[in-house]
Amino acid sequence: MNRYFSRRLGVLIWLACCAMAATTAAFADMEQLKKTGVLKVAVYSDFAPFSANNQGIDIDLAEALAKKLGLKVSLLPFPAGENLNDDLRNMVWKGHYLGYGPADLLMHVPVDSRLMAENDKVEIIAPYHRESVRLIRNSKTIPRFEGLDALLGKKIGVEKISIAALVL
């Protein structure tokens, strides 16, 4: 891991810890977490480079957070649902009907005011990643990109389970 990435990761972990410590819900659950000694963390099962095969950025953050809190981490990998509201219900506040969960924390949730308003049973905090959409094109087949019309009739691809996929 290069020094720049290690430094940024350290800052992100520190920010996540501060944000968790500053919330009322985190204080309310801390006694229960200390009793069990385990921080249950839900992560998306096929979401590289963030989480896949029990590795990735979200896994590293979860492990660092648990260590900072003096807890062991228990990962709950799961496939993404139809929408994020389903994921929050199944993995955070209710648990899956098959008995999986609930977790104490779900990684990689967007900090979005509309999403927060729709999910009053969870507290969404601590952004640690900003996602952006970029266009990569072949300048021979699309010499100029001045809007979506330039893509009409062309084969295009997007990363699955992404903002770009939702837009398309």
Side-chain angles (χ1 to χ4, degrees):
M1 196 174 340
N2 70 36
R3 206 168 48 181
Y4 176 74
F5 181 75
S6 295
R7 191 171 189 188
R8 283 191 73 170
L9 183 59
V11 169
L12 291 172
I13 291 169
W14 182 80
L15 288 172
C17 290
C18 289
M20 269 193 70
T23 65
T24 305
F27 281 123
D29 297 334
M30 206 52 208
E31 289 304 314
Q32 182 63 29
L33 290 174
K34 285 181 181 179
K35 285 180 187 175
T36 64
V38 175
L39 178 67
K40 293 182 285 182
V41 181
V43 293
Y44 290 101
S45 56
D46 188 21
F47 195 46
F50 298 99
S51 56
N53 302 316
N54 287 337
Q55 296 179 358
I57 297 166
D58 288 351
I59 309 299
D60 294 342
L61 285 171
E63 289 172 347
L65 182 58
K67 183 178 179 182
K68 184 75 173 175
L69 295 172
L71 305 169
K72 293 181 181 177
V73 70
S74 173
L75 297 174
L76 301 176
F78 72 102
E82 289 291 318
N83 63 54
L84 193 48
N85 297 327
D86 292 345
D87 296 345
L88 291 169
R89 181 187 67 250
N90 290 333
M91 296 311 298
V92 180
W93 64 267
K94 186 175 182 184
H96 197 276
Y97 62 87
L98 293 175
Y100 197 60
D104 302 307
L105 174 68
L106 170 59
M107 301 297 292
H108 221 86
V109 176
V111 178
D112 175 75
S113 57
R114 190 186 75 193
L115 183 64
M116 291 176 185
E118 291 173 355
N119 293 280
D120 61 348
K121 290 182 173 42
V122 299
E123 189 162 349
I124 299 173
I125 58 169
Y128 59 92
H129 172 73
R130 292 188 192 272
E131 197 163 313
S132 61
V133 176
R134 299 285 186 244
L135 173 70
I136 299 171
R137 63 185 170 86
N138 181 333
S139 60
K140 291 178 183 173
T141 57
I142 305 172
R144 294 178 57 153
F145 180 79
E146 295 178 357
L148 293 178
D149 288 341
L151 302 177
L152 286 174
K154 306 283 192 280
K155 288 184 179 183
I156 58 174
V158 296
E159 179 183 19
K160 68 178 181 175
I161 313 173
S162 67
I163 292 174
L166 291 172
V167 170
L168 286 176

